Amino acid sequence: MSPAFAVVDMRLGDGNGLEVISALRSAGRNARGIVLTGYGNIATAVTAVKMGAFDYLSQAGRRR
């Protein structure tokens, strides 16, 4: 049984979340990829969705 969702961080120790989304699509997986990040920007969000991410969630900055 394959997972239904893959929740990945944009910044990973050995790559990034976009590589994971790409690998899911290349492998023909039906899992929905969700990218989380604390360093989000619109260009990266658009790229992630175009690559097949189901959603892109950016953490708001910390309040002091």
Side-chain angles (χ1 to χ4, degrees), residues 4-58:
F5 289 92
V7 180
V8 296
D9 196 340
M10 186 61 198
R11 291 190 178 185
L12 302 172
D14 59 349
N16 66 56
L18 296 180
E19 294 168 346
V20 175
I21 297 299
S22 178
L24 284 172
R25 294 293 160 232
S26 294
R29 303 284 185 196
N30 290 327
R32 292 182 175 185
I34 300 171
V35 180
L36 304 175
T37 185
Y39 307 94
N41 62 53
I42 293 173
T44 306
V46 170
T47 300
V49 171
K50 284 183 177 180
M51 291 178 74
F54 178 73
D55 207 345
Y56 181 94
L57 304 172
S58 180

